[in-house]
Amino acid sequence: EKMNLEIPVRSFNSQNLNTWRIPLIQHNMLWMGDFYAEGNELDMPKFVSQGIDISKFDLPKNYICINSTHNALNKEFYPHHIQAIVDWVAKKGITPVLLGRTEQKFITVDGVEAPTNFGGTSELPGAYSLVNKTSLLEAGAIMERAKAVVGIDGGLIHLAACTDAPIVCGFSVVKPKLFTPQRDGVVGKQYYVVEPDESLGCKFCHSQVNFVNHGDVFACFYKDRLCLDQLT
């Protein structure tokens, strides 16, 4: 399909600055501030939970958070992988707490509701589910107090990186080095990466190819999502 010369050429080597190609914070600095950041300027900003009341959720003292939802089909955290974590953590006497949102509406500047791929797992045996029950700020305050946060690269993981909580993050479509956060001047501080096997040549597809599945970059080109099978 790439050899079809009628298809417009798409390249990240021209005017496009994209977080699939450069580190997340660096992209924000260039895009919004028009300057190249360095040193501690690349630290994730600190989340401030003061004034956010999470007492109504009746959380136990020892718990981990699992981001069990997604907004892109190629970032789905498969339920059987989550269940394995839930069972293992429960044996340690730690409560697994599910976080995220399975429904979300995006409104365009023209007032039109945009389609989304939101979905995920809201209930699992042995897990305490807060899916669809928190605001974004409440989710941040909950993760801030967690023993750890586990999930596939996405919005809640980025928010967790603004806290001091240890993070275990799976990567499917972007290279881990682009989204590995810098905290307190240290890249990857308390941040543990899980990635597909080296034998899977298409892993990190967004970071290494020009897209050929036009218009739906959040769908697997091969339609099998093998990378997600391997994020155990």
Side-chain angles (χ1 to χ4, degrees):
E1 188 177 0
K2 279 188 176 182
M3 295 304 295
N4 183 346
L5 299 182
E6 295 179 359
I7 295 175
V9 174
R10 297 185 178 188
S11 173
F12 288 115
N13 298 320
S14 54
Q15 288 79 30
N16 293 309
L17 283 176
N18 196 291
T19 51
W20 297 327
R21 282 292 191 173
I22 62 175
L24 181 64
I25 293 295
Q26 191 64 268
H27 173 260
N28 291 339
M29 294 297 191
L30 288 169
W31 203 209
M32 300 171 67
D34 196 27
F35 75 94
Y36 192 86
E38 57 187 2
N40 287 345
E41 292 173 330
L42 290 171
D43 279 354
M44 293 295 282
K46 288 293 185 181
F47 180 82
V48 179
S49 62
Q50 185 177 358
I52 302 172
D53 182 15
I54 59 173
S55 61
K56 62 183 177 182
F57 299 114
D58 196 25
L59 291 161
K61 180 179 179 181
N62 293 318
Y63 66 90
I64 72 161
C65 294
I66 303 175
N67 180 12
S68 61
T69 67
H70 58 271
N71 68 343
L73 295 177
N74 52 18
K75 292 186 178 184
E76 181 178 358
F77 202 175
Y78 286 153
H80 59 284
H81 290 336
I82 302 175
Q83 187 68 63
I85 296 171
V86 166
D87 295 343
W88 186 85
V89 168
K91 289 180 181 178
K92 300 287 185 180
I94 299 173
T95 301
V97 176
L98 305 184
L99 283 179
R101 189 165 292 277
T102 58
E103 299 176 357
Q104 187 74 359
K105 293 181 180 179
F106 288 107
I107 307 298
T108 67
V109 291
D110 299 322
V112 178
E113 184 176 324
T116 68
N117 286 317
F118 266 73
T121 303
S122 57
E123 299 284 346
L124 281 176
Y128 179 37
S129 179
L130 292 179
V131 173
N132 296 325
K133 297 178 182 177
T134 74
S135 69
L136 188 63
L137 291 179
E138 288 169 342
I142 291 169
M143 291 190 293
E144 183 184 47
R145 293 164 175 76
K147 301 284 282 185
V149 178
V150 182
I152 292 180
D153 168 56
L156 277 188
I157 295 296
H158 303 324
L159 180 59
C162 295
T163 74
D164 293 324
I167 296 171
V168 180
C169 182
F171 283 87
S172 56
V173 297
V174 294
K175 292 179 179 179
K177 69 177 184 179
L178 299 182
F179 278 13
T180 295
Q182 178 174 305
R183 300 195 274 187
D184 301 320
V186 179
V187 176
K189 181 180 180 181
Q190 299 234 76
Y191 192 87
Y192 308 95
V193 169
V194 179
E195 62 180 67
D197 188 80
E198 287 295 331
S199 63
L200 191 63
C202 61
K203 72 175 186 176
F204 312 145
C205 54
H206 282 186
S207 295
Q208 65 178 339
V209 302
N210 292 326
F211 303 119
V212 293
N213 51 339
H214 315 292
D216 189 5
V217 298
F218 295 114
C220 174
F221 180 73
Y222 295 105
K223 299 180 174 59
D224 55 18
R225 300 192 293 173
L226 282 180
C227 56
L228 299 180
D229 288 333
Q230 298 181 6
L231 293 184
T232 61

